[in-house]
Amino acid sequence: DVKVTQSSRYLVKRTGEKVFLECVQDMDHENMFWYRQDPGLGLRLIYFSYDVKMKEKGDIPEGYSVSREKKERFSLILESASTNQTSMYLCASSLIGNGEQFFGPGTRLTVL
Amino acid sequence: DAKTTQPPSMDCAEGRAANLPCNHSTISGNEYVYWYRQIHSQGPQYIIHGLKNNETNEMASLIITEDRKSSTLILPHATLRDTAVYYCIVSALEAGSYQLTFGKGTKLSVIP
């Protein structure tokens, strides 16, 4: 069974902390994505990566960075967490040239 | 700007067909129509996609009008487990991936 896993289901951090959200996929997919989901706003793309060490900004990259050192792992980094980054974060992966994205279960991040 | 328009909510009786409409009047020739759904507290799940021909898989059927300006997702025999938010997305291949812009979707409630 194909799988995308995320490091935490729930996370609570304080304003100003550096936060790492980890995503791992076991499908040998080239593409990986980070979204955030907020009530009334739907899912919005933060960053995506189409290869190791490659990254592209999505619709809302401000305040975030990403890292992809290995094909199976894509990390989202909040350099200095703020309360407006409280959200559900979803990771996804897909084969290159394929629009079928497989999503992880999500991490609900609360920044106090 | 939203590329698709969907009704915010629909009800369907259990065992009946659920027909979910989507308008995408500004779709481009190289854009596919994708459908995903999101069950409460889970990540989105791919259902089906198509370019211009009707498509069917084990989950659903996708009917695309000849002018491609609208489509309908059909769940032939809805069950309670089909209660979810359904997203209609149009997307073209760009930089090796299909970037999916999730709108607000249609909340489908399957009624016993």
Side-chain angles (χ1 to χ4, degrees):
Chain A
D1 214 13
V2 296
K3 223 170 186 181
V4 178
T5 56
Q6 295 184 227
S7 50
S8 305
R9 197 79 168 93
Y10 299 93
L11 205 55
V12 179
K13 295 291 182 181
R14 297 212 174 269
T15 302
E17 279 193 80
K18 190 169 186 175
V19 182
F20 291 87
L21 302 182
E22 305 284 340
C23 175
V24 177
Q25 50 95 3
D26 65 359
M27 297 165 281
D28 202 34
H29 284 171
E30 293 87 3
N31 295 329
M32 295 188 76
F33 308 82
W34 275 107
Y35 296 86
R36 64 177 282 178
Q37 184 170 28
D38 302 287
L41 296 175
L43 278 86
R44 293 177 291 168
L45 181 65
I46 305 171
Y47 268 97
F48 72 98
S49 168
Y50 53 89
D51 201 353
V52 174
K53 298 192 187 294
M54 305 304 289
K55 61 184 179 184
E56 292 285 341
K57 293 180 180 178
D59 299 320
I60 50 162
E62 297 79 18
Y64 303 95
S65 62
V66 290
S67 172
R68 190 156 181 213
E69 297 296 319
K70 293 185 177 181
K71 190 176 184 179
E72 67 271 18
R73 188 178 298 269
F74 192 35
S75 303
L76 181 69
I77 303 154
L78 288 66
E79 293 288 342
S80 177
S82 63
T83 55
N84 63 12
Q85 291 178 310
T86 291
S87 186
M88 170 69 85
Y89 290 88
L90 290 152
C91 174
S93 72
S94 74
L95 288 168
I96 196 162
N98 191 315
E100 182 179 354
Q101 293 185 17
F102 293 84
F103 282 80
T107 295
R108 186 166 293 282
L109 172 68
T110 302
V111 183
L112 301 175
Chain B
D1 286 340
K3 287 188 165 185
T4 63
T5 305
Q6 299 177 254
S9 64
M10 290 181 65
D11 290 342
C12 177
E14 189 179 16
R16 303 296 293 268
N19 296 279
L20 292 94
C22 179
N23 285 320
H24 31 79
S25 58
T26 61
I27 191 170
S28 301
N30 62 344
E31 286 183 311
Y32 283 74
V33 179
Y34 280 85
W35 283 84
Y36 278 74
R37 73 180 182 184
Q38 188 173 22
I39 295 168
H40 184 61
S41 298
Q42 297 182 21
Q45 176 191 24
Y46 165 85
I47 302 173
I48 199 167
H49 75 281
L51 184 64
K52 51 185 176 181
N53 296 325
N54 297 337
E55 302 287 346
T56 295
N57 63 19
E58 64 279 1
M59 287 182 70
S61 295
L62 174 60
I63 308 297
I64 303 174
T65 58
E66 197 168 336
D67 63 7
R68 301 210 323 125
K69 292 185 177 183
S70 66
S71 60
T72 301
L73 178 75
I74 301 171
L75 308 178
H77 305 287
T79 71
L80 299 178
R81 287 177 294 180
D82 292 321
T83 292
V85 178
Y86 287 76
Y87 298 97
C88 169
I89 301 161
V90 295
S91 181
L93 186 63
E94 190 177 339
S97 74
Y98 288 85
Q99 293 185 43
L100 305 178
T101 300
F102 289 77
K104 296 183 180 179
T106 296
K107 181 171 172 53
L108 175 69
S109 298
V110 180
I111 314 294

